[in-house]
Amino acid sequence: MSHANIPQALLVLPRLRVQNANAISSPLTHGFPSVTAFTGLMWALERKLAQADVPLHLHAVGVVCHHHQEQVTQGYVRSFNLTRNPVDKDGSTAAIVEEGRIHLEITLVFTVSEKSATGVAPTLVQGAQEHRQQWADAAGRVLSQMRVAGGSLLPSRAGPGRRVRPWMELLPDDAQKRAEHFRAWRRQWLPGFALVGRDDLLAERLRTLQATDRQATLLDAWLHAARFNHQPVKPEEGKAQSADGKVPWEDPLRKRGSGWLVPIPVGYAALSARHAAGSVLNARDAAAPLRFVESVYSIGEWISPHRLTHLEQLLWQAETDEAKGLYRCRNGYQPAPESADAAVEAEEWDDDEDAYAYP
Protein backbone atom coordinates (compact mmCIF):
# COMPACT_ATOMS: atom_id res chain seq x y z
CA MET A 1 0.00 0.00 0.00
CA SER A 2 1.25 3.48 -0.84
CA HIS A 3 2.38 5.74 1.98
CA ALA A 4 -0.05 8.36 0.65
CA ASN A 5 -2.96 6.09 1.70
CA ILE A 6 -1.79 5.73 5.32
CA PRO A 7 -2.06 8.69 7.72
CA GLN A 8 1.41 9.66 8.89
CA ALA A 9 0.86 12.85 10.85
CA LEU A 10 -1.67 15.10 12.53
CA LEU A 11 -2.24 18.63 11.24
CA VAL A 12 -4.04 20.93 13.68
CA LEU A 13 -5.38 24.39 12.86
CA PRO A 14 -6.38 25.69 16.30
CA ARG A 15 -8.78 28.40 17.42
CA LEU A 16 -10.03 29.52 14.02
CA ARG A 17 -12.40 32.48 14.24
CA VAL A 18 -15.06 32.19 11.54
CA GLN A 19 -17.44 35.04 10.85
CA ASN A 20 -20.84 34.53 9.21
CA ALA A 21 -20.56 30.81 8.51
CA ASN A 22 -23.62 29.05 7.15
CA ALA A 23 -25.88 28.07 10.05
CA ILE A 24 -28.46 26.27 7.87
CA SER A 25 -26.87 22.84 7.47
CA SER A 26 -29.76 21.22 5.57
CA PRO A 27 -33.44 21.74 4.69
CA LEU A 28 -34.39 20.40 8.14
CA THR A 29 -31.56 21.41 10.50
CA HIS A 30 -29.72 24.54 11.61
CA GLY A 31 -27.38 25.72 14.34
CA PHE A 32 -24.01 24.54 12.99
CA PRO A 33 -22.50 23.90 9.54
CA SER A 34 -22.88 20.45 8.04
CA VAL A 35 -20.09 17.89 8.36
CA THR A 36 -19.92 17.89 4.56
CA ALA A 37 -18.86 21.55 4.72
CA PHE A 38 -15.71 20.51 6.55
CA THR A 39 -14.93 17.48 4.36
CA GLY A 40 -15.37 19.78 1.34
CA LEU A 41 -13.02 22.27 2.98
CA MET A 42 -10.50 19.45 3.48
CA TRP A 43 -10.47 18.58 -0.24
CA ALA A 44 -10.29 22.24 -1.29
CA LEU A 45 -7.41 22.83 1.14
CA GLU A 46 -5.50 19.86 -0.29
CA ARG A 47 -5.80 21.28 -3.81
CA LYS A 48 -4.66 24.71 -2.63
CA LEU A 49 -1.69 23.16 -0.81
CA ALA A 50 -0.66 21.35 -3.99
CA GLN A 51 -0.59 24.70 -5.78
CA ALA A 52 1.62 26.03 -2.97
CA ASP A 53 4.06 23.08 -3.43
CA VAL A 54 3.05 21.44 -0.13
CA PRO A 55 2.66 17.74 -1.05
CA LEU A 56 0.17 16.69 1.62
CA HIS A 57 -2.78 14.34 1.25
CA LEU A 58 -5.58 15.00 3.77
CA HIS A 59 -7.47 11.89 4.87
CA ALA A 60 -10.02 12.84 7.54
CA VAL A 61 -11.16 15.86 9.54
CA GLY A 62 -12.27 16.43 13.11
CA VAL A 63 -14.14 19.49 14.38
CA VAL A 64 -13.97 20.93 17.91
CA CYS A 65 -16.19 23.94 18.65
CA HIS A 66 -15.04 26.30 21.40
CA HIS A 67 -17.65 29.01 20.96
CA HIS A 68 -20.62 29.72 18.72
CA GLN A 69 -23.03 32.60 18.31
CA GLU A 70 -25.92 32.01 15.93
CA GLN A 71 -27.29 35.23 14.47
CA VAL A 72 -30.90 34.91 15.64
CA THR A 73 -33.38 36.90 17.65
CA GLN A 74 -33.64 35.75 21.26
CA GLY A 75 -36.83 34.39 22.80
CA TYR A 76 -38.99 31.28 22.83
CA VAL A 77 -39.44 31.53 19.05
CA ARG A 78 -36.27 32.52 17.22
CA SER A 79 -35.73 33.82 13.70
CA PHE A 80 -32.58 34.60 11.73
CA ASN A 81 -31.21 38.13 11.61
CA LEU A 82 -31.54 38.94 7.91
CA THR A 83 -30.03 41.69 5.79
CA ARG A 84 -32.21 44.40 4.33
CA ASN A 85 -32.01 44.36 0.55
CA PRO A 86 -32.34 47.51 -1.63
CA VAL A 87 -35.80 48.30 -2.95
CA ASP A 88 -36.90 47.34 -6.47
CA LYS A 89 -37.02 49.74 -9.42
CA ASP A 90 -40.62 50.65 -8.60
CA GLY A 91 -39.79 51.31 -4.94
CA SER A 92 -41.38 48.14 -3.58
CA THR A 93 -39.65 45.94 -1.02
CA ALA A 94 -37.34 43.36 -2.57
CA ALA A 95 -37.83 39.68 -1.81
CA ILE A 96 -35.83 38.38 1.16
CA VAL A 97 -33.87 35.16 0.78
CA GLU A 98 -33.44 33.70 4.25
CA GLU A 99 -29.80 33.22 5.16
CA GLY A 100 -28.68 31.75 8.46
CA ARG A 101 -25.35 32.95 9.82
CA ILE A 102 -23.25 31.90 12.78
CA HIS A 103 -19.97 33.10 14.30
CA LEU A 104 -17.66 30.26 15.34
CA GLU A 105 -14.40 29.57 17.11
CA ILE A 106 -13.30 26.08 16.08
CA THR A 107 -10.27 23.82 15.90
CA LEU A 108 -9.81 21.66 12.80
CA VAL A 109 -7.86 18.40 13.10
CA PHE A 110 -6.65 16.59 9.96
CA THR A 111 -4.81 13.31 9.47
CA VAL A 112 -2.31 13.75 6.64
CA SER A 113 0.31 11.88 4.65
CA GLU A 114 2.95 12.95 2.18
CA LYS A 115 2.45 12.62 -1.57
CA SER A 116 6.04 11.68 -2.43
CA ALA A 117 7.30 10.47 -5.81
CA THR A 118 8.43 6.87 -6.25
CA GLY A 119 11.98 6.36 -5.02
CA VAL A 120 12.08 9.69 -3.19
CA ALA A 121 12.69 9.65 0.56
CA PRO A 122 9.62 10.87 2.48
CA THR A 123 10.32 14.31 3.91
CA LEU A 124 7.42 14.22 6.37
CA VAL A 125 8.64 11.18 8.29
CA GLN A 126 12.38 11.73 8.03
CA GLY A 127 12.39 15.51 8.16
CA ALA A 128 12.88 17.59 11.28
CA GLN A 129 10.16 19.22 13.35
CA GLU A 130 11.14 22.57 11.81
CA HIS A 131 10.21 21.32 8.35
CA ARG A 132 6.84 20.02 9.55
CA GLN A 133 6.18 23.37 11.18
CA GLN A 134 6.84 25.11 7.88
CA TRP A 135 4.20 22.95 6.19
CA ALA A 136 1.76 23.62 9.03
CA ASP A 137 2.35 27.37 8.73
CA ALA A 138 1.79 27.13 4.97
CA ALA A 139 -1.52 25.34 5.59
CA GLY A 140 -2.57 28.14 7.94
CA ARG A 141 -1.69 30.83 5.40
CA VAL A 142 -3.56 29.04 2.61
CA LEU A 143 -6.63 28.49 4.77
CA SER A 144 -6.70 32.16 5.81
CA GLN A 145 -7.56 33.04 2.19
CA MET A 146 -10.38 30.48 1.95
CA ARG A 147 -13.98 30.27 3.09
CA VAL A 148 -14.84 27.98 6.00
CA ALA A 149 -18.44 26.73 5.69
CA GLY A 150 -19.20 29.91 3.77
CA GLY A 151 -17.72 32.15 6.46
CA SER A 152 -14.68 34.41 6.52
CA LEU A 153 -11.66 33.78 8.73
CA LEU A 154 -10.58 36.46 11.19
CA PRO A 155 -7.13 36.67 12.83
CA SER A 156 -6.83 34.31 15.80
CA ARG A 157 -6.60 35.75 19.29
CA ALA A 158 -3.60 34.56 21.28
CA GLY A 159 -3.86 34.32 25.04
CA PRO A 160 -2.32 32.64 28.09
CA GLY A 161 -2.37 28.87 27.58
CA ARG A 162 -3.99 29.24 24.16
CA ARG A 163 -2.08 27.83 21.19
CA VAL A 164 -3.19 29.53 17.99
CA ARG A 165 -0.30 28.67 15.65
CA PRO A 166 -0.91 25.68 13.32
CA TRP A 167 1.16 22.63 14.21
CA MET A 168 1.92 19.16 12.90
CA GLU A 169 3.03 16.04 14.76
CA LEU A 170 3.88 12.54 13.60
CA LEU A 171 1.49 9.72 14.47
CA PRO A 172 3.38 6.99 16.38
CA ASP A 173 3.11 3.48 14.94
CA ASP A 174 2.84 1.95 18.40
CA ALA A 175 -0.78 1.97 19.65
CA GLN A 176 0.18 2.70 23.25
CA LYS A 177 2.37 5.66 22.31
CA ARG A 178 -0.33 7.00 20.00
CA ALA A 179 -2.83 6.85 22.87
CA GLU A 180 -0.40 8.71 25.14
CA HIS A 181 0.14 11.40 22.50
CA PHE A 182 -3.60 11.76 21.97
CA ARG A 183 -4.18 12.31 25.69
CA ALA A 184 -1.75 15.23 25.49
CA TRP A 185 -3.25 16.60 22.27
CA ARG A 186 -6.85 16.55 23.45
CA ARG A 187 -6.06 18.78 26.45
CA GLN A 188 -5.21 21.57 24.00
CA TRP A 189 -8.77 21.43 22.64
CA LEU A 190 -10.38 22.26 25.99
CA PRO A 191 -12.72 23.89 26.71
CA GLY A 192 -14.77 22.83 23.73
CA PHE A 193 -17.02 20.15 22.29
CA ALA A 194 -16.25 17.72 19.47
CA LEU A 195 -18.96 16.62 17.05
CA VAL A 196 -19.14 12.82 16.74
CA GLY A 197 -21.58 10.49 14.99
CA ARG A 198 -24.11 8.40 16.89
CA ASP A 199 -25.73 6.16 14.30
CA ASP A 200 -26.07 3.58 17.07
CA LEU A 201 -28.50 5.79 18.99
CA LEU A 202 -30.67 6.22 15.91
CA ALA A 203 -30.88 2.44 15.49
CA GLU A 204 -31.62 2.05 19.19
CA ARG A 205 -34.39 4.66 19.01
CA LEU A 206 -35.94 2.80 16.06
CA ARG A 207 -36.01 -0.45 18.04
CA THR A 208 -37.65 1.38 20.95
CA LEU A 209 -40.41 2.82 18.76
CA GLN A 210 -41.01 -0.45 16.94
CA ALA A 211 -41.56 -2.19 20.27
CA THR A 212 -44.92 -0.36 20.46
CA ASP A 213 -45.47 0.49 16.79
CA ARG A 214 -44.27 -1.96 14.16
CA GLN A 215 -44.94 0.64 11.44
CA ALA A 216 -42.35 3.08 12.80
CA THR A 217 -39.64 4.05 10.31
CA LEU A 218 -36.15 5.52 10.53
CA LEU A 219 -37.65 8.94 9.82
CA ASP A 220 -39.97 8.54 12.80
CA ALA A 221 -37.01 7.53 14.96
CA TRP A 222 -34.94 10.53 13.77
CA LEU A 223 -37.75 13.00 14.43
CA HIS A 224 -38.40 11.42 17.83
CA ALA A 225 -34.71 11.66 18.78
CA ALA A 226 -34.46 15.24 17.52
CA ARG A 227 -36.92 16.60 20.07
CA PHE A 228 -37.84 16.34 23.73
CA ASN A 229 -40.71 13.91 24.37
CA HIS A 230 -41.92 14.69 27.88
CA GLN A 231 -44.47 12.51 29.62
CA PRO A 232 -45.74 12.16 33.21
CA VAL A 233 -43.57 9.99 35.43
CA LYS A 234 -45.27 7.67 37.91
CA PRO A 235 -43.72 7.49 41.39
CA GLU A 236 -41.51 4.49 41.99
CA GLU A 237 -43.05 1.50 43.70
CA GLY A 238 -43.11 1.98 47.45
CA LYS A 239 -42.77 5.77 47.24
CA ALA A 240 -45.64 8.11 48.06
CA GLN A 241 -46.90 10.68 45.59
CA SER A 242 -45.88 14.31 46.03
CA ALA A 243 -47.75 16.09 48.84
CA ASP A 244 -48.92 18.86 46.50
CA GLY A 245 -50.28 16.31 44.05
CA LYS A 246 -48.05 17.47 41.22
CA VAL A 247 -46.79 14.86 38.78
CA PRO A 248 -43.25 15.37 37.39
CA TRP A 249 -42.70 15.27 33.64
CA GLU A 250 -39.54 14.14 31.86
CA ASP A 251 -38.26 12.52 28.68
CA PRO A 252 -37.61 8.86 29.58
CA LEU A 253 -35.13 8.51 26.70
CA ARG A 254 -33.18 11.67 27.60
CA LYS A 255 -32.26 11.08 31.19
CA ARG A 256 -29.74 13.10 33.20
CA GLY A 257 -26.24 12.66 31.77
CA SER A 258 -27.46 11.10 28.51
CA GLY A 259 -25.46 13.59 26.44
CA TRP A 260 -25.93 16.56 24.11
CA LEU A 261 -27.61 14.89 21.14
CA VAL A 262 -28.44 16.76 17.93
CA PRO A 263 -29.93 15.89 14.52
CA ILE A 264 -27.31 16.35 11.80
CA PRO A 265 -27.00 15.86 8.02
CA VAL A 266 -24.20 13.44 7.16
CA GLY A 267 -24.23 13.35 3.36
CA TYR A 268 -26.39 12.79 0.31
CA ALA A 269 -28.42 10.05 -1.39
CA ALA A 270 -28.91 9.94 -5.15
CA LEU A 271 -32.27 10.83 -6.67
CA SER A 272 -31.26 10.23 -10.28
CA ALA A 273 -28.72 8.45 -12.44
CA ARG A 274 -25.40 10.11 -13.18
CA HIS A 275 -25.57 12.62 -16.02
CA ALA A 276 -22.57 13.10 -18.28
CA ALA A 277 -20.45 16.20 -17.84
CA GLY A 278 -21.95 19.19 -19.62
CA SER A 279 -25.30 17.49 -20.31
CA VAL A 280 -27.23 19.45 -17.64
CA LEU A 281 -27.83 23.12 -18.35
CA ASN A 282 -26.52 25.65 -15.80
CA ALA A 283 -24.59 23.06 -13.79
CA ARG A 284 -21.98 24.52 -11.45
CA ASP A 285 -19.15 22.47 -13.00
CA ALA A 286 -19.60 21.62 -16.67
CA ALA A 287 -16.49 19.39 -16.62
CA ALA A 288 -17.76 16.96 -13.96
CA PRO A 289 -20.63 14.42 -14.02
CA LEU A 290 -23.79 15.52 -12.22
CA ARG A 291 -26.28 13.68 -10.05
CA PHE A 292 -29.34 15.03 -8.27
CA VAL A 293 -29.33 14.17 -4.56
CA GLU A 294 -31.12 14.77 -1.27
CA SER A 295 -29.74 15.05 2.25
CA VAL A 296 -29.09 12.04 4.48
CA TYR A 297 -29.61 12.51 8.22
CA SER A 298 -28.39 10.89 11.40
CA ILE A 299 -27.83 11.69 15.06
CA GLY A 300 -24.69 13.41 16.36
CA GLU A 301 -23.38 14.17 19.80
CA TRP A 302 -21.35 17.06 21.14
CA ILE A 303 -18.81 15.57 23.51
CA SER A 304 -15.90 17.07 25.42
CA PRO A 305 -12.55 16.02 23.88
CA HIS A 306 -11.32 14.72 27.23
CA ARG A 307 -13.95 11.97 26.97
CA LEU A 308 -12.48 10.66 23.70
CA THR A 309 -10.09 7.72 24.09
CA HIS A 310 -8.39 7.67 20.68
CA LEU A 311 -7.97 9.87 17.62
CA GLU A 312 -10.28 7.91 15.31
CA GLN A 313 -13.26 8.80 17.52
CA LEU A 314 -12.84 12.44 16.54
CA LEU A 315 -12.39 12.08 12.78
CA TRP A 316 -14.91 12.19 9.93
CA GLN A 317 -14.15 10.79 6.49
CA ALA A 318 -16.14 10.50 3.28
CA GLU A 319 -17.59 7.18 2.13
CA THR A 320 -18.99 6.49 -1.33
CA ASP A 321 -21.29 3.65 -2.38
CA GLU A 322 -21.97 4.05 -6.09
CA ALA A 323 -24.26 1.02 -6.21
CA LYS A 324 -26.61 2.51 -3.60
CA GLY A 325 -26.03 6.08 -4.73
CA LEU A 326 -24.93 6.99 -1.21
CA TYR A 327 -22.37 9.69 -0.47
CA ARG A 328 -22.01 10.20 3.26
CA CYS A 329 -19.55 10.93 6.05
CA ARG A 330 -18.59 8.36 8.66
CA ASN A 331 -17.20 8.93 12.13
CA GLY A 332 -15.20 6.43 14.17
CA TYR A 333 -16.80 7.13 17.56
CA GLN A 334 -17.80 4.09 19.59
CA PRO A 335 -19.30 4.63 23.06
CA ALA A 336 -17.43 3.04 25.93
CA PRO A 337 -19.26 0.35 27.95
CA GLU A 338 -21.21 1.84 30.81
CA SER A 339 -19.69 1.34 34.22
CA ALA A 340 -20.20 2.51 37.77
CA ASP A 341 -17.35 5.00 37.39
CA ALA A 342 -18.93 6.45 34.25
CA ALA A 343 -22.25 6.85 36.04
CA VAL A 344 -20.57 8.72 38.92
CA GLU A 345 -18.71 10.97 36.47
CA ALA A 346 -21.91 11.78 34.57
CA GLU A 347 -23.59 12.69 37.86
CA GLU A 348 -20.72 14.99 38.89
CA TRP A 349 -20.58 16.81 35.53
CA ASP A 350 -23.92 17.16 33.79
CA ASP A 351 -23.23 17.67 30.06
CA ASP A 352 -26.82 18.68 29.34
CA GLU A 353 -26.85 21.62 31.74
CA ASP A 354 -23.49 22.93 30.53
CA ALA A 355 -24.25 22.42 26.84
CA TYR A 356 -27.66 24.06 26.65
CA ALA A 357 -26.51 27.12 28.58
CA TYR A 358 -24.98 28.58 25.40
CA PRO A 359 -26.99 31.34 23.68
Side-chain angles (χ1 to χ4, degrees):
M1 180 179 294
S2 172
H3 289 292
N5 296 323
I6 303 175
Q8 299 171 322
L10 192 72
L11 172 62
V12 180
L13 304 175
R15 301 286 179 170
L16 301 174
R17 296 173 60 215
V18 188
Q19 184 182 54
N20 289 331
N22 182 21
I24 303 177
S25 54
S26 76
L28 299 178
T29 57
H30 76 96
F32 196 78
S34 170
V35 175
T36 55
F38 297 104
T39 54
L41 172 68
M42 176 179 67
W43 296 327
L45 178 59
E46 180 178 331
R47 293 193 294 268
K48 295 283 187 179
L49 288 175
Q51 297 174 6
D53 296 325
V54 179
L56 290 179
H57 174 53
L58 279 58
H59 295 265
V61 59
V63 183
V64 180
C65 183
H66 307 284
H67 176 73
H68 72 278
Q69 183 183 17
E70 192 174 16
Q71 301 303 292
V72 294
T73 58
Q74 299 300 315
Y76 182 75
V77 178
R78 301 186 181 187
S79 58
F80 289 112
N81 297 334
L82 303 178
T83 57
R84 182 68 175 179
N85 298 330
V87 297
D88 288 335
K89 295 179 180 179
D90 58 358
S92 60
T93 302
I96 294 178
V97 178
E98 189 173 52
E99 296 179 353
R101 299 182 179 88
I102 185 171
H103 300 335
L104 299 169
E105 183 178 350
I106 58 175
T107 290
L108 296 180
V109 181
F110 300 96
T111 50
V112 303
S113 61
E114 182 180 359
K115 296 186 290 187
S116 57
T118 305
V120 178
T123 306
L124 180 62
V125 178
Q126 298 182 0
Q129 172 62 31
E130 181 180 356
H131 189 83
R132 292 194 295 271
Q133 186 61 55
Q134 291 175 358
W135 281 0
D137 290 337
R141 288 193 300 270
V142 170
L143 186 68
S144 67
Q145 304 173 29
M146 299 174 59
R147 293 276 188 168
V148 177
S152 304
L153 277 176
L154 302 179
S156 298
R157 291 175 177 171
R162 176 179 293 184
R163 189 175 183 178
V164 298
R165 186 182 182 184
W167 55 274
M168 185 185 299
E169 291 287 347
L170 293 178
L171 292 174
D173 294 329
D174 181 71
Q176 183 176 355
K177 288 185 178 180
R178 182 177 293 200
E180 293 175 357
H181 280 63
F182 180 69
R183 284 195 293 270
W185 294 334
R186 67 187 183 182
R187 286 196 295 268
Q188 301 181 28
W189 306 327
L190 296 173
F193 290 91
L195 182 61
V196 300
R198 297 302 307 268
D199 293 354
D200 58 308
L201 292 180
L202 184 59
E204 180 181 339
R205 185 64 62 102
L206 178 61
R207 290 192 294 269
T208 301
L209 294 184
Q210 289 184 340
T212 56
D213 181 9
R214 296 300 302 174
Q215 303 300 319
T217 64
L218 267 176
L219 178 59
D220 296 322
W222 184 78
L223 293 172
H224 196 272
R227 63 176 183 255
F228 289 95
N229 303 276
H230 289 90
Q231 62 186 48
V233 179
K234 297 181 180 179
E236 297 181 7
E237 187 176 353
K239 290 187 176 181
Q241 191 174 356
S242 175
D244 56 8
K246 293 183 179 180
V247 178
W249 286 64
E250 69 177 27
D251 186 342
L253 300 180
R254 279 183 182 261
K255 293 189 178 295
R256 182 182 179 89
S258 61
W260 184 8
L261 305 179
V262 289
I264 58 172
V266 292
Y268 305 95
L271 291 174
S272 68
R274 292 182 62 181
H275 299 280
S279 62
V280 178
L281 188 64
N282 297 328
R284 178 179 296 180
D285 187 352
L290 184 142
R291 199 170 196 176
F292 293 96
V293 297
E294 64 178 350
S295 294
V296 173
Y297 301 93
S298 185
I299 296 295
E301 180 177 3
W302 288 104
I303 186 170
S304 179
H306 82 281
R307 296 180 183 270
L308 303 177
T309 58
H310 54 277
L311 178 61
E312 287 69 24
Q313 290 185 326
L314 173 66
L315 300 175
W316 291 86
Q317 56 187 357
E319 179 182 279
T320 300
D321 190 333
E322 288 287 352
K324 295 182 179 180
L326 186 61
Y327 310 89
R328 65 158 298 175
C329 299
R330 294 281 186 185
N331 175 253
Y333 181 79
Q334 294 291 335
E338 293 185 1
S339 62
D341 294 339
V344 172
E345 184 180 5
E347 186 174 341
E348 292 177 350
W349 183 1
D350 185 11
D351 282 338
D352 286 330
E353 291 182 356
D354 291 339
Y356 288 108
Y358 284 97

